[in-house]
Amino acid sequence: MGTGVKHLLDFQGWTVEGIQGILETADVMKEVLERPVKKVPALQGITVCTAFFENSTRTRTSFELAARRMSADVLTFAAGASSLSKGESLRDTIETLNAYKVDAFIVRHHASGAAHQVAKFSGKSTINAGDGRRAHPTQALLDAYTMLKEFGKLEGLKVTIVGDILHSRVARSNAELLDLLGADVTLCGPATLLPKELQKGRVKLTNDMQAAVKDADVVMALRLQQERMNGGFLPSMSEYALTYQVNERLLELAKDHAIVLHPGPMNRDLEISGSLADSERSRIIAQVEYGQAIRMSVLYHLLVGKK
Amino acid sequence: MGTGVKHLLDFQGWTVEGIQGILETADVMKEVLERPVKKVPALQGITVCTAFFENSTRTRTSFELAARRMSADVLTFAAGASSLSKGESLRDTIETLNAYKVDAFIVRHHASGAAHQVAKFSGKSTINAGDGRRAHPTQALLDAYTMLKEFGKLEGLKVTIVGDILHSRVARSNAELLDLLGADVTLCGPATLLPKELQKGRVKLTNDMQAAVKDADVVMALRLQQERMNGGFLPSMSEYALTYQVNERLLELAKDHAIVLHPGPMNRDLEISGSLADSERSRIIAQVEYGQAIRMSVLYHLLVGKK
Amino acid sequence: MGTGVKHLLDFQGWTVEGIQGILETADVMKEVLERPVKKVPALQGITVCTAFFENSTRTRTSFELAARRMSADVLTFAAGASSLSKGESLRDTIETLNAYKVDAFIVRHHASGAAHQVAKFSGKSTINAGDGRRAHPTQALLDAYTMLKEFGKLEGLKVTIVGDILHSRVARSNAELLDLLGADVTLCGPATLLPKELQKGRVKLTNDMQAAVKDADVVMALRLQQERMNGGFLPSMSEYALTYQVNERLLELAKDHAIVLHPGPMNRDLEISGSLADSERSRIIAQVEYGQAIRMSVLYHLLVGKK
């Protein structure tokens, strides 16, 4: 076991086999999470540092719980609350944390590319937990895993991702991963929020919601970052919801077995209708559950055997 | 052992026997806390989530330490600092935390009834750590335990609770529990802050401090929430202190053996005189100590045997 | 082993032998930190409370990781985020935390002398992690340890400390410790920031940078607290940097083997030039590393054998 890869920053340099290894080990971890005692000793004595330069209790919590369930020690570094926000450079902060002798970093940062810098500065195994608009690979892995558990395979699935594609690291990482694994991806949103360079391989762009959702197996609604509204990128929220809300009426165009995903947290009745989120089509809670298994699996592949 | 009760939301549905079970196990936990190594393996492999939607370092800390001393893993979710405060519903937040496969919730929330909702949404054992003005049952249990350690029994004790009764979950939970256990409770405060519906069973209301404290065995001063001052509920602080401060002169009316309690944190020389808080009558530090034993006992009764 | 000393508040009451004991045990801990599994069972069952009334993620994190690597349980109490900041006295807060049955306190506070009060109020082993402008003894110990690892001895070393001496607990603790251990200390900064009372024993004061750094073995730049600028203590930052920045040109005056220290976090190109901080002379990362070993050693000396 083990992928031979040291970091998970994005999917550059990852092979289909490496990714399949992660998805297979996630099955083992999923089974661990169904036991009364949800703990394995794989990372005993290992210290994992969550370095979050952007506030995200949800993602940090998911990673820390996954690490602790592998018996790792966790060093929480939430930079928002820190004196290190007093003008210290990213490099100095990481070199300081590194000098505490941690074995791996899990990084979230508002700047695209920050996770690569952490990997370089620290020399330690680094997991990107979201950097700017660039990548959020464990989210894409848990999304792929959710589809796999539903349909048994990813090849040939039609996956439609709806929302502010331009600013979304979730959309970018999903497009990268799903293309690699053989799914057909349609990215859909207002024309101003569809970056042309994402159209390649099996990935298509459109601002036509009906066409995008037609015959889809999976429809993913992205969280609408309400702070974007001020940037002039989007009209009013109600106008956005009128055209781009993922809801039950829209889903009638998709395949009968189509499922709905959302990376959370949701703005109910904005980017997704509350009734659809609570319907039988929704796998939103499953995504969160599988996120634990995926993160445990990623930690396993990157860290076991490096002690 | 075990009460057969799944939640501690308030004392509805609890029997005197069930509560006595909690108080008896607290004796065992108190003894554990006197050992050099204050730890028992009872909750090994169990994950307890403290979901605090209202900031309270003190209460959260007390619960988390209690859980860790039972060898549980603790998932801290402090919503104040969280991105989940960005408009996510309570239900979505709880379902997300629940999907991380936690075994129990300890909830604090500014809305009355929130703990019941968490129990319903999660389906997991839930402890109410204070919801709105409704209930704070572990505080009432530790108060009752403090009285029990002092006087050997609760039946027939005269317990006087002084302050802003209207907004106090501590007063409500104490009234509910002490009435059940056979103590006579007097709730005393300004007339505008005495909700009529609390007058039932052994519970009396009065705005006459002298009558309330006369022959009392226990006098409890409630914390004055200074933000209430702005609501027009109370005159100036000094005027409040003049009439309703619990102090040594007032305690001369109580029984010779009378003790003084306060749920903390205190506003010294406002709702309680500093000298009384430091006097031999004070059991305020004992309350904090016993709070550890009570919370360990509650966790034991709700969770052991459910692994 | 064990120094027989209960607290580390400053170096009053410490002997050279006691300090040498700390420095020697740090060697053992340094070796533990080089192992794959960086953990020893020395403090199993012990609960250490970090009571930080002044925000310092860096220092708190270093202590907590050290404590957990000794297998202690850690109770984090960050008062900034706490409801206890609502006017509760230091004594009431400490007595409350103490009633949770913690075994030791690690305290940071904005008021000089606060750590002594915590030791008195709690009766428990107390480590001062920085109180006002008074003392920060573990910083001084890790600085001394860094010099010791470099030069094999401290006697006769010329150590120059540059910056805002007046407000610096790091300068005070270093002067106290280095004087005790036989090094010659020069404190250098603007005349208005050089408190006369520090001139005693082997400690000299000067505002002449060239003289201060000439033939130095060690040059330590203090962090410039930018908020001081407003107090009228200092001219503009660029003017300060012009005269008192520690940089490569200045270091030409020092001994060939001279090293540079900084307690962190750095304002690069303000109190220290970035290129010097990254040069071969810099031991700034080593300081952070050795900080782990020193803090583990201090915890060992104060707490082992007291269980």
Side-chain angles (χ1 to χ4, degrees), chain A residues 74 81 88 92 100-101, chain C residues 39 55 58 61 68-69 268:
Chain A
V74 175
E88 199 185 36
D92 284 339
Y100 294 158
K101 307 274 189 194
Chain C
K39 210 152 185 170
N55 193 21
R58 180 195 279 260
T61 292
R68 286 194 276 144
R69 281 173 166 159
R268 280 174 177 264

Side-chain angles (χ1 to χ4, degrees), chain A residues 44-47 71 73-84 86-89 91-93 95-103 306-307, chain C residues 30 33-34 36-39 55-62 65 68-69 223 225-227 264-268 278 285-286 288-290 292 295:
Chain A
Q44 211 136 37
I46 289 281
T47 301
S71 302
D73 286 309
V74 175
L75 177 66
T76 299
F77 178 79
S82 161
S83 68
L84 299 198
K86 296 185 204 161
E88 199 185 36
S89 70
R91 185 174 148 203
D92 284 339
T93 302
E95 288 185 347
T96 298
L97 293 169
N98 204 25
Y100 294 158
K101 307 274 189 194
V102 305
D103 299 291
K306 316 223 162 165
K307 285 199 282 193
Chain C
K30 181 168 168 289
L33 291 167
E34 282 154 10
V37 173
K38 301 160 179 65
K39 210 152 185 170
N55 193 21
S56 174
T57 305
R58 180 195 279 260
T59 304
R60 185 173 53 74
T61 292
S62 172
L65 194 54
R68 286 194 276 144
R69 281 173 166 159
R223 175 174 170 80
Q225 309 286 337
Q226 301 190 27
E227 53 273 27
M266 287 184 276
N267 298 298
R268 280 174 177 264
D278 297 335
I285 295 301
V288 180
E289 272 188 50
Y290 296 158
Q292 278 288 295
R295 284 169 181 139

Side-chain angles (χ1 to χ4, degrees), chain A residues 31 45 67 169 189 249 257 265 287:
Chain A
E31 194 237 306
R169 50 194 172 211
R249 199 157 49 86
H257 67 204
Q287 286 175 280

Side-chain angles (χ1 to χ4, degrees), chain B residues 9-161:
Chain B
L9 304 172
D10 48 37
F11 297 108
Q12 299 294 323
W14 282 76
T15 61
V16 172
E17 291 68 35
I19 290 160
Q20 276 166 348
I22 302 272
L23 298 171
E24 277 160 24
T25 306
D27 281 339
V28 180
M29 299 306 173
K30 181 168 169 286
E31 195 236 307
V32 168
L33 292 166
E34 281 154 11
R35 293 183 202 157
V37 172
K38 300 160 181 66
K39 210 152 186 170
V40 289
L43 298 185
Q44 212 135 36
I46 290 281
T47 302
V48 171
C49 176
T50 49
F52 271 56
F53 297 86
E54 191 181 74
N55 193 23
S56 174
T57 305
R58 178 196 281 260
T59 304
R60 185 173 54 74
T61 293
S62 172
F63 271 110
E64 292 184 355
L65 194 55
R68 287 195 274 144
R69 281 173 167 160
M70 308 282 287
S71 302
D73 286 309
V74 175
L75 178 65
T76 299
F77 178 80
S82 162
S83 67
L84 299 199
S85 58
K86 296 187 204 161
E88 200 185 36
S89 70
L90 176 62
R91 183 174 148 203
D92 284 338
T93 302
I94 293 303
E95 288 185 347
T96 298
L97 293 169
N98 203 26
Y100 294 158
K101 307 274 188 193
V102 305
D103 300 291
F105 284 90
I106 298 168
V107 188
R108 169 160 291 199
H109 200 285
H110 46 84
S112 301
H116 282 79
Q117 290 185 286
V118 171
K120 201 182 75 183
F121 296 146
S122 70
K124 303 286 172 61
S125 270
T126 301
I127 298 173
N128 185 357
D131 65 329
R133 58 176 77 173
R134 238 190 116 271
H136 191 357
T138 59
Q139 178 71 44
L141 283 167
L142 74 87
D143 291 337
Y145 188 71
T146 307
M147 299 175 205
L148 194 62
K149 291 293 105 178
E150 188 69 28
F151 299 114
K153 63 175 186 58
L154 293 166
E155 295 82 3
L157 284 188
K158 180 178 176 184
V159 181
T160 298
I161 303 176

Side-chain angles (χ1 to χ4, degrees), chain B residues 7 20 33 60 64 69 73 101 110 129 140 156 165 169 214 223 227-228 238 251 264 270-271 281 307:
Chain B
H7 310 299
Q20 276 166 348
L33 292 166
R60 185 173 54 74
E64 292 184 355
R69 281 173 167 160
D73 286 309
K101 307 274 188 193
H110 46 84
I165 306 298
R169 51 195 171 210
K214 189 158 175 9
R223 174 172 171 80
E227 53 274 28
R228 300 294 179 208
S238 58
L251 261 286
L270 186 46
E271 73 266 5
R281 288 191 183 278
K307 285 199 281 194

Side-chain angles (χ1 to χ4, degrees), chain C residues 171-243:
Chain C
R172 269 180 190 72
S173 275
N174 263 290
E176 194 181 1
L177 178 63
L178 291 168
D179 182 44
L180 197 63
L181 297 177
D184 296 306
V185 180
T186 304
L187 303 175
C188 178
T192 49
L193 298 173
L194 286 173
K196 293 284 172 293
E197 71 271 20
L198 294 183
Q199 182 140 9
K200 59 182 176 193
R202 289 185 184 79
V203 182
K204 291 189 188 59
L205 305 184
T206 179
N207 65 342
D208 179 342
M209 275 288 270
Q210 272 67 34
V213 173
K214 191 161 173 8
D215 296 326
D217 299 285
V218 179
V219 180
M220 182 189 303
L222 299 174
R223 175 174 170 80
L224 191 65
Q225 309 286 337
Q226 301 190 27
E227 53 273 27
R228 299 294 178 210
M229 287 296 176
N230 306 322
F233 284 109
L234 286 169
S236 73
M237 286 198 227
S238 58
E239 219 172 318
Y240 176 87
L242 209 65
T243 315

